[in-house]
Amino acid sequence: MSRGPRSGRAAATSVRSVNYATSPLLASKTPPWRSRFAVALVGAAFALLLGRAAWIQLVSSEFYVKQGEKRYAHQLDLPASRGRILDRNGLVLAASVQVPSIWVLPKDFEADAAQRRALCKLLGMSNAELASRLDGNANFAWLRRRVDESLWEQVKALDIKGIYSVSEYRRNYPEGEAAVHVVGFTGSDDRGQEGIELRFERQLEGRDGSRTVVKDRLGRVVEDIGEQTDPANGQDIQLSIDSNIQFYAYQRLRDAVAEHGAKSGSVVVLDARTGEILALANYPSYDPARRINVDSGSIRNRAVTDVYEPGSTMKPFVASLAIETGRVTADTLIDTGPGRYNFGGATITDTHAHGVISVAQIIQMSSNIGITKIAMRMQPRELWEMYTQIGLGQKPQIEFPGAVTGRLRPYKSWRPIEQATMAYGYGLSVSLLQLAHAYTIFARNGDIAPLTILKRDQPVAGVQVFPPAIVARMREILHSVTQPGGTAVKAQAIGYSVGGKTGTARKQEGRGYGRKYLSWFVGIAPISKPRIVVAVMVDEPTKGGTYGGDVAGPVFSAIVPNTLRTLGVAPDIEVKPLIVDPAANDSADF
């Protein structure tokens, strides 16, 4: 039954007539704490927001500013240029140049198969290696660092998306393998690893600068912000080395090692007046810019780090001490017998039977028996103190890493046979640098001067070892070694008088001595007014003889004129012409 209009109006009137004030639900009283609690919650929320805002804006503003800057600002290092290494004349031995380093943005990298193959070929890497680099950090990966500009141009010509370059410094070594054992090299981080690069790292490295910039997503600089800190370049280091002398010495040494089928060789050239090292060369060597698969033997600076028994090169020192102490004179006669001498349960031999000869002839002919009989006239302590004075058994005080002390046992432990063998260079060990240093005594007035690898120029005072008169006499004897009847005729130099001492030492193998030799020659020039000391060592020659005079002597002979001419020292003996006018008569003196 439907409602009519009347009944509908009655229902609406009844609804509007309800008295809400009398409703039991709405008329009930609300507890006051509820409203206060609601207000408190709202107030606490506002207080929390206000406190958080204050914390961010006032207390931790610096942190949040930095966090914001990380999203758009980047600090770029401005690398300092590493200091140069120069020779004594200012020629560059090592310098840093700016070159491109190639990097990739992996997430943007796009290349087809042909482009990938071409890229791998240019960079010298396999496709798998390229893929592994791309699968690393999506925002950055190095492809090749410090490459030639021409290589980067070829990579850029491939037009591969996502590949970029940045400038870095690379070390260049103009003298290459000839001077690497002096100069050394730097690693991938541009820090010194060997030689002068290592020894003077603090002075050479400099201090990097920085700049803060805004970058886009491709790593391109959009804007500079803040102040820039400029880099401070490293200091230059000027050495005592002469590039011309160094290169020539290296060439002659290299040729000698090849000619005699030797294992290795070393040369040291000293300016006796100033104590400067003019050349220090080793062979085999290596290119400092290409060190892949280079063995440790080639890297080692043998003239400084390796020690050997010096053989007969010790005889002039023993004879000088005997003359100084009055045991003998240069003309004292010594009976060396038939060339064999039984002493202390061992047999000491000479290469020839010399019979009765003078002390001067013992040095000239290099008699082991003669020097043994001289040495046994002295006390062990006297020999030990003399060896110590000339630098044996002590680390050379030089601005160079890796210099060794050698071996010189305390004299109290010497047996008589050991005292004898030490007189002709067995039972003790020295580096070639130590031996060259000791011979400055004969090139000076009996004093030994401190060495340096840095340019010095001025003469220096030394520590007196032998009286000048004895040294002057010994120079005459050393000169006779290079004359007919001596052991080093092949050490004579064109235009200059020379003197020195040979050494042919058998190498120790296990507890005894085998059939491998060290060939030595150490000499001074010119004899009339000594200026340089040249020490040569060739290790294990197998062709063309083993004697120091035959193997090392010719190297000395070639180096001396070149060095003295470079230093501006005039010849002191007449040079006979090697080219004769065909029109000259047959009686011309050749």
Side-chain angles (χ1 to χ4, degrees), residues 230-248:
D230 293 327
N233 293 333
Q235 301 175 25
D236 291 345
I237 301 295
Q238 188 165 25
L239 305 183
S240 59
I241 295 294
D242 186 295
S243 293
N244 293 326
I245 298 172
Q246 176 75 26
F247 184 71
Y248 190 82

Side-chain angles (χ1 to χ4, degrees), residues 191-394:
R191 296 181 66 84
Q193 301 293 308
E194 291 286 342
I196 296 300
E197 295 276 29
L198 174 61
R199 172 60 179 80
F200 291 95
E201 170 63 26
R202 183 174 298 180
Q203 292 91 327
L204 289 166
E205 66 175 344
R207 185 182 69 253
D208 290 345
S210 64
R211 60 187 284 220
T212 304
V213 300
V214 176
K215 284 186 176 182
D216 65 12
R217 61 181 295 274
L218 297 179
R220 296 174 299 196
V221 175
V222 176
E223 180 184 0
D224 282 284
I225 57 176
E227 294 185 1
Q228 175 175 308
T229 302
D230 293 327
N233 293 333
Q235 301 175 25
D236 291 345
I237 301 295
Q238 188 165 25
L239 305 183
S240 59
I241 295 294
D242 186 295
S243 293
N244 293 326
I245 298 172
Q246 176 75 26
F247 184 71
Y248 190 82
Y250 173 76
Q251 284 187 317
R252 299 288 74 76
L253 177 67
R254 180 192 60 193
D255 294 346
V257 170
E259 177 185 351
H260 296 283
K263 177 181 177 182
S264 63
S266 299
V267 169
V268 174
V269 182
L270 304 180
D271 186 327
R273 183 172 60 91
T274 62
E276 294 173 295
I277 299 176
L278 300 175
L280 191 157
N282 297 277
Y283 188 83
S285 187
Y286 61 99
D287 185 346
R290 297 176 177 84
R291 302 191 301 275
I292 299 175
N293 299 324
V294 175
D295 61 89
S296 59
S298 297
I299 291 178
R300 196 167 68 248
N301 188 349
R302 299 172 186 270
V304 175
T305 64
D306 290 12
V307 294
Y308 310 93
E309 291 178 312
S312 296
T313 57
M314 289 292 100
K315 290 174 182 175
F317 299 102
V318 176
S320 296
L321 179 61
I323 294 172
E324 181 190 7
T325 56
R327 266 55 174 246
V328 297
T329 67
D331 300 318
T332 299
L333 298 178
I334 305 289
D335 186 4
T336 63
R340 298 179 64 85
Y341 178 53
N342 294 322
F343 179 82
T347 301
I348 297 173
T349 62
D350 285 339
T351 55
H352 301 86
H354 299 303
V356 178
I357 55 178
S358 68
V359 170
Q361 289 174 309
I362 287 172
I363 302 301
Q364 181 189 29
M365 301 176 183
S366 199
S367 169
N368 294 338
I369 297 171
I371 204 66
T372 293
K373 291 187 174 183
I374 293 173
M376 297 314 296
R377 298 186 182 190
M378 293 178 282
Q379 296 299 314
R381 180 174 180 175
E382 293 177 282
L383 286 172
W384 181 86
E385 288 178 344
M386 182 269 294
Y387 281 151
T388 301
Q389 280 185 300
I390 66 174
L392 276 58
Q394 301 174 68

Side-chain angles (χ1 to χ4, degrees), residues 39 172 354 358 385 454 494:
V39 173
N172 275 6
H354 299 303
S358 68
E385 288 178 344
L454 302 177
I494 297 175

